[in-house]
């Protein structure tokens, strides 16, 4: 790669604060004992803490806002840092020990915190010797914690102490009883800003470092220990959190992943704030991980490196020039694949010649959507960063891999010719979803592919990327073919045909309050079709539905949803496509009955295919499909008549559950404890269905209904 200068941030560290408006907001909740008898107090220190009222503390923001609350953490000194918010609902033990939060005052937006306590700090990780099992580093890294309500009680099978006790032991101040929603709104509107958590001098004494002369809080809060404003991003936070010497984490010999020469695959991880779960993700995949300090010369042993990993970490990426320069040299060597996460992503970008920028308020949460630019799939990710890569500064050989679906910021990049890639989010999670942990598998498989080739070979191969490329090429081909004799470009192209008019099958006549989900899904489908400029025709005799409301569908037929009526409407309207999946069992059955006629009628089935409907509705075929993917199912047999059902029952044994195929609302299904009940159920079932499934009874088990909506890009909503 050609040498390029290291870019520096061109934005200010944070948005300029508006003219200060000094206000003091009192606590928004009443004080509560953080521990005590009947409140899960377990150690003498907790019981002693319950003997006094909570200390009144104050959160001061650089824009002049002052919010008072109650202390439930350490009461040793006041602190200053960068005030940021995080939207996760759970995972505070992992978040507080994430080195990326170094020097920050963390505001948790979820209203209730501490209700499941804190796990044991002494319990060792079963995979990593010498590391704790339930945390992301060996200490709390936040400067202070702000929550709306700190739970007085906690309950969890792993809990060994309360959140407040842990904070006190770690020397970290914390405050509850403040309006975290107001703080979050303020930060979103004005940008991240510096903050302080001030404690009374009667508790912590006077500060040896006087506050700034222009600091209004010193005059308004004379009885509080004041401290100077501290911008953590001005310091090299990475040097504070990085390890001091290399450490090797090896997999179990029987799990080790080996090179062709028999040596265990070795990845060097540059610790610029590494989370322990990143180490776990490599070791459990059989990789030997050598974790080195941020300024370590790992290239001195480049011949023994199979892959380079750049971890997450805190602060401004441009402050660690030594790391950036060494990574730049590693990229130029072209000897091994490279993978970066969070700060490591920014370091990779800077070493490649791109620039980074300070975000207005960052992305910190556990449900942030990111779109894969190669496949158009959307992933829910865990994030914690205040800086981002500027996509418009990427060199020609570096392309965007992921983009934030909320704010459009860059979330990942890859090299188009070499096996280098990185992501801004946290695929190792902890806390958060593990949807993208597959990126570790992709990195490891890339290392193996390079070993097999005997050299660093081509770019990273991402699952689904080639199939998505072929789909795009096919769509472009269709567009060219249709462009010649198609002056009307409205609608959407599906399977080589332009869809301009669609027939939607409704649910038919239903009882009041029955199958409302079909009405909802159908009405949403009609809205979506109209947004695409597609003319919609609806068949639904039920006038008491949203689907049939005036102005929704372009045309509505109040006819029975039967094969004959559907056939007549198709012949009259000549739609390009038909949906059979928004009318419940009635519409599904119509699709199955007319499956051989649709092509002759000139209509294309959209959405779920008829074949898939038949597999899910035919009980025997569905059980076989589950067996193919190794999903456990109760022992069962399909029966086409009562005699076959009795034979199946004798083979399986009572009690049984009888399930009717292709039946509306499970009509004809039920439990059978003996042959007499079995025969009675089968007679009812066969009156409405051609098949029943005789299955071992699961009565008494808890049933969880799991519904998934999936689009053509494999985006799923559950």
């Amino acid at each position: 790669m050609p040498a390029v200068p290291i870019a520096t941030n061109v934005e200010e560290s944070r948005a300029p604060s508006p003219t200060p408006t000094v206000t003091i907001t009192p606590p928004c909740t009443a004080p509560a004992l953080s521990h005590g008898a009947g409140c899960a107090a377990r150690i003498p220190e907790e019981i002693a803490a319950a003997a006094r009222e909570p200390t009144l503390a104050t959160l001061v923001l650089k824009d002049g806002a002052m919010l008072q609350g109650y202390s439930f953490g350490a009461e040793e000194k006041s602190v200053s840092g960068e005030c940021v918010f995080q939207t996760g609902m759970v995972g505070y033990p992992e978040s507080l020990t994430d080195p990326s939060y170094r020097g920050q005052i963390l505001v948790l937006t979820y209203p209730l915190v501490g209700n499941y306590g804190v796990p044991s700090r002494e319990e060792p990780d079963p995979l990593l010797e010498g590391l704790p099992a339930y945390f992301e580093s060996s200490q709390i890294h936040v400067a202070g914690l702000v929550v709306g309500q700190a739970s007085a009680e906690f309950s969890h099978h792993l809990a060994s102490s309360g959140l407040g006790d842990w904070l006190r032991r770690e020397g970290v101040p914390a405050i509850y009883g403040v309006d975290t929603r107001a703080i979050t709104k303020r930060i979103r509107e004005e940008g991240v800003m510096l903050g302080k958590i001030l404690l009374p001098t009667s508790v912590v004494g006077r500060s040896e470092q006087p506050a700034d002369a222009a600091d209004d809080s010193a005059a308004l809060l004379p009885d509080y220990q004041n401290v100077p404003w501290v911008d953590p991003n001005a310091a090299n936070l990475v040097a504070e959190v990085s390890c001091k010497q290399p450490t090797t984490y090896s997999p179990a010999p029987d799990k080790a992943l080996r090179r062709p020469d028999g040596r265990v695959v070795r990845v060097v991880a540059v610790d610029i704030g590494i989370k322990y779960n990143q180490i776990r993700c490599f070791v459990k995949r059989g990789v030997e991980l050598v974790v080195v300090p941020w300024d370590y010369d790992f290239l001195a042993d480049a011949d023994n490196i199979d892959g380079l990993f750049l971890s997450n970490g805190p602060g401004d990426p441009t402050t660690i020039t030594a790391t950036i320069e060494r990574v730049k040299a590693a990229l130029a060597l072209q000897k091994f694949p490279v993978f970066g996460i969070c700060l490591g992503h920014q370091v990779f970008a800077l070493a490649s010649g791109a620039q980074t920028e300070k975000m207005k308020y960052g992305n910190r949460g556990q449900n942030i959507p990111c779109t894969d630019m190669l496949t158009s799939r959307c992933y829910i990710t865990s994030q914690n960063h205040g800086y981002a890569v500027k996509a418009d500064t990427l060199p020609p050989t570096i392309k965007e891999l992921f983009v934030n679906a909320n704010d459009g910021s860059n979330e990942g990049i890859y090299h188009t010719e070499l096996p280098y890639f990185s992501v801004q989010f946290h695929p190792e999670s902890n806390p958060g979803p593990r949807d993208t942990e597959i990126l570790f598998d992709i990195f490891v498989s890339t290392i193996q592919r390079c070993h097999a080739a005997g050299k660093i070979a081509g770019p990273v191969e991402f699952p689904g990327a080639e199939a998505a490329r072929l789909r795009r090429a096919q769509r472009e081909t269709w567009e060219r073919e249709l462009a010649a004799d198609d002056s009307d470009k409205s609608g959407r192209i599906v399977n080589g045909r332009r869809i301009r008019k669609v027939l939607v099958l409704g649910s038919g006549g239903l009882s009041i309050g029955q199958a409302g989900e079909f009405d909802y899904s159908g009405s949403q489908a009609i809205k979506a079709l109209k947004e695409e400029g597609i003319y919609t025709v609806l068949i639904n005799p039920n006038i008491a539905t949203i689907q049939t409301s005036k102005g929704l569908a372009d045309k509505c037929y109040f006819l029975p949803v039967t094969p004959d009526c559907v056939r007549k409407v198709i012949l009259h309207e000549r739609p390009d496509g038909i949906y059979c999946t928004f009318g419940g069992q009635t519409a599904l059955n119509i699709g199955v009955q007319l499956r051989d006629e649709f092509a002759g009628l000139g209509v294309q089935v959209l959405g779920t295919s008829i074949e898939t409907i038949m597999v899910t509705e035919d009980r025997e075929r569905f059980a076989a499909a589950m067996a193919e993917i190794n999903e456990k199912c109760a022992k069962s047999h399909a029966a086409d008549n009562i005699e076959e059902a009795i034979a199946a029952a004798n083979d399986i044994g009572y009690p049984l559950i009888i399930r009717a195929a292709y039946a509306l609302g499970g009509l004809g299904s039920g439990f059978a404890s003996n042959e007499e009940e079995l025969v009675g159920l089968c007679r009812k079932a066969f009156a409405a269905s051609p098949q029943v499934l005789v299955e071992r009874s699961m009565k008494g088990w808890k049933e969880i209904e799991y519904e998934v909506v999936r689009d053509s890009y494999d985006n799923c909503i559950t």
Side-chain angles (χ1 to χ4, degrees):
M1 297 178 62
V4 292
I6 297 174
T8 57
N9 285 339
V10 296
E11 300 287 338
E12 291 292 328
S13 176
R14 56 180 48 79
S17 297
T19 303
T21 302
V22 180
T23 57
I24 301 179
T25 305
C28 62
T29 61
L33 296 178
S34 57
H35 298 284
C39 293
R42 300 185 179 189
I43 58 177
E45 289 86 347
E46 290 181 335
I47 297 172
R52 60 179 177 81
E53 288 293 314
T55 300
L56 191 67
T58 303
L59 172 67
V60 181
L61 300 178
K62 189 65 180 289
D63 69 351
M66 301 181 190
L67 299 94
Q68 291 189 315
Y70 302 101
S71 167
F72 73 104
E75 297 179 357
E76 300 172 4
K77 61 180 180 179
S78 298
V79 296
S80 176
E82 183 180 47
C83 193
V84 301
F85 67 87
Q86 194 245 60
T87 61
M89 295 175 64
V90 294
Y92 54 81
E94 296 92 340
S95 293
L96 297 183
T97 54
D98 182 350
S100 296
Y101 282 115
R102 185 75 170 187
Q104 293 178 327
I105 295 176
L106 179 59
V107 179
L108 297 180
T109 62
Y110 193 64
L112 179 61
V113 178
N115 54 309
Y116 57 88
V118 177
S120 169
R121 276 87 78 194
E122 286 72 41
E123 185 170 340
D125 192 294
L127 190 65
L128 305 174
E129 183 179 353
L131 299 186
Y134 306 112
F135 301 91
E136 291 306 299
S137 69
S138 60
Q139 66 179 98
I140 296 177
H141 285 282
V142 300
L145 180 65
V146 180
V147 302
Q149 180 180 350
S151 177
E153 301 181 15
F154 62 87
S155 177
H156 195 277
H157 69 283
L158 293 176
S160 65
S161 69
L163 174 58
D165 173 60
W166 182 38
L167 292 164
R168 286 190 290 272
R169 286 172 177 267
E170 292 273 343
V172 178
I175 181 174
Y176 75 91
V178 298
D179 189 347
T180 54
R181 295 171 300 176
I183 299 172
T184 301
K185 183 177 179 181
R186 203 177 196 100
I187 293 174
R188 283 181 60 91
E189 292 176 350
E190 300 178 13
V192 291
M193 62 187 75
L194 300 183
K196 304 178 187 180
I197 295 180
L198 304 184
L199 297 168
T201 54
S202 60
V203 176
V204 297
R206 296 282 176 185
S207 174
E208 296 179 0
Q209 295 180 299
D212 300 331
D215 189 347
D216 293 318
S217 61
L220 292 172
L221 300 168
D223 296 329
Y224 283 76
Q225 183 193 70
N226 216 317
V227 290
W229 297 107
V230 175
D231 182 359
N233 296 299
N236 185 347
L237 299 175
V238 170
E240 298 179 17
V241 301
S242 180
C243 61
K244 306 308 177 187
Q245 59 186 18
T247 304
T248 300
Y249 298 92
S250 301
D254 60 326
K255 303 290 185 183
L257 186 68
R258 300 188 180 276
R259 293 161 36 112
D261 61 8
R263 180 170 68 78
V264 179
V265 171
R266 178 180 299 154
V267 170
V268 168
V270 181
D271 179 6
I272 46 180
I274 197 167
K275 290 171 60 180
Y276 287 163
N277 206 43
Q278 292 173 357
I279 303 175
R280 298 182 191 107
C281 284
F282 280 109
V283 175
K284 74 179 182 182
R285 286 168 171 77
V287 172
E288 178 183 85
L289 194 71
V290 182
V291 180
V292 301
W294 70 282
D295 56 353
Y296 186 79
D297 185 11
F298 55 84
L299 293 179
D301 195 27
D303 291 338
N304 292 316
I305 297 176
D306 299 311
L308 177 64
F309 174 68
L310 309 173
S311 80
N312 66 290
D316 185 340
T318 61
T319 61
I320 50 174
T321 54
T323 307
I324 297 169
E325 288 287 359
R326 195 154 284 124
V327 171
K328 185 195 298 185
L331 299 178
L333 279 179
Q334 299 185 14
K335 289 181 69 72
F336 38 73
V338 177
F339 175 33
I341 290 176
C342 195
L343 182 61
H345 161 68
Q346 297 161 14
V347 167
F348 170 50
L350 290 167
S352 300
Q355 297 178 2
T356 57
E357 62 183 340
K358 177 74 172 177
M359 304 181 76
K360 183 176 181 180
Y361 49 83
N363 283 315
R364 299 174 180 87
Q366 300 159 22
N367 61 344
I368 299 176
C370 291
T371 303
D372 183 338
M373 302 303 289
L374 298 179
T375 66
S376 296
R377 289 191 63 181
C378 189
Y379 295 89
I380 302 302
T381 66
S382 177
Q383 299 196 16
N384 173 18
H385 63 276
Y387 289 82
V389 172
K390 298 180 69 175
D392 57 0
T393 67
L394 293 172
T397 55
I398 304 292
K399 302 295 183 183
E400 283 197 286
L401 179 57
F402 290 95
V403 170
N404 189 299
N406 286 339
D407 60 19
S409 61
N410 176 262
E411 293 283 358
I413 56 178
Y414 71 100
H415 198 290
T416 58
E417 300 171 2
L418 298 168
Y420 307 152
F421 74 108
S422 61
V423 292
Q424 183 64 73
F425 52 82
H426 286 260
E428 83 285 352
S429 63
N430 272 30
R434 300 190 174 186
D435 300 33
T436 56
E437 194 175 316
I438 189 177
L439 292 175
F440 287 93
D441 298 304
I442 292 172
F443 182 53
V444 173
S445 66
T446 300
I447 293 173
Q448 292 178 296
R449 178 168 58 83
C450 291
H451 284 158
K455 61 180 181 178
I456 188 169
V460 177
E461 296 176 356
F462 296 97
E466 179 60 19
R469 186 192 67 79
L470 293 174
R471 284 198 302 268
R472 287 193 295 269
Q474 179 65 76
R475 183 171 297 278
E476 290 170 1
T477 300
W478 287 336
E479 289 176 350
R480 286 195 302 270
E481 292 174 349
L482 293 174
D485 11 275
D486 192 358
S487 58
D488 183 0
K489 299 297 190 297
S490 63
R492 293 287 293 272
I493 297 175
V494 180
N495 295 329
R497 179 178 178 181
R498 192 173 293 279
I499 305 297
R500 298 189 181 91
K501 180 187 285 191
V502 167
L503 175 62
V504 178
L505 301 185
S507 56
L510 296 170
S511 301
I512 293 176
Q514 183 182 35
E517 66 271 24
F518 305 140
D519 185 27
Y520 174 80
S521 62
S523 60
Q524 294 301 308
I526 292 170
K527 290 179 181 178
L529 290 168
K530 293 185 73 173
E531 288 176 3
E532 295 291 335
I534 296 174
Y535 189 91
T536 56
V537 180
L538 172 69
I539 301 179
N540 193 340
N542 191 344
I543 62 173
T545 61
I546 301 299
Q547 287 182 16
T548 54
S549 298
K550 183 179 179 180
L552 197 58
D554 292 292
K555 185 179 287 187
C556 183
Y557 285 85
F558 294 99
L559 296 173
V561 184
T562 63
D564 186 53
C565 289
V566 171
R567 192 182 296 112
K568 289 179 178 178
V569 171
I570 291 175
L571 290 171
H572 181 70
E573 291 290 339
R574 296 296 181 184
D576 303 304
I578 183 172
Y579 277 111
C580 304
T581 47
F582 299 113
Q585 194 67 56
T586 302
L588 294 178
N589 290 347
I590 293 297
V592 173
Q593 294 172 40
L594 297 181
R595 65 185 182 279
D596 297 327
E597 299 183 40
F598 286 138
L601 292 169
V603 65
Q604 183 178 154
V605 176
L606 304 175
T608 306
S609 68
I610 301 299
E611 176 62 23
T612 300
I613 293 172
M614 294 175 67
V615 169
T616 56
E617 292 297 321
D618 185 305
R619 300 294 184 175
E620 186 172 25
R621 293 180 66 181
F622 181 75
M626 291 297 99
E628 287 180 11
I629 59 174
N630 299 318
E631 284 293 334
K632 294 180 180 179
C633 289
K635 185 177 180 181
S636 62
H637 294 298
D640 296 327
N641 52 58
I642 293 178
E643 290 72 23
E644 290 182 5
I646 293 173
N650 292 334
D651 176 56
I652 299 171
Y654 294 95
L656 299 164
I657 183 170
I658 310 303
R659 301 182 187 273
Y662 301 99
L664 178 64
L667 186 67
S669 300
F671 292 97
S673 301
N674 51 55
E675 185 172 316
E676 181 181 354
E677 293 178 357
L678 170 69
V679 172
L681 281 171
C682 286
R683 284 174 178 163
K684 292 180 181 178
F686 284 124
S689 174
Q691 180 197 68
V692 299
L693 188 74
V694 181
E695 184 178 271
R696 182 171 71 89
S697 173
M698 305 299 287
K699 193 172 186 177
W701 287 56
K702 180 179 288 187
E703 181 178 355
I704 299 176
E705 186 171 334
Y706 195 66
E707 297 187 358
V708 181
V709 178
R710 170 180 169 269
D711 70 7
S712 59
Y713 298 114
D714 273 343
N715 295 314
C716 297
I717 300 175
T718 64

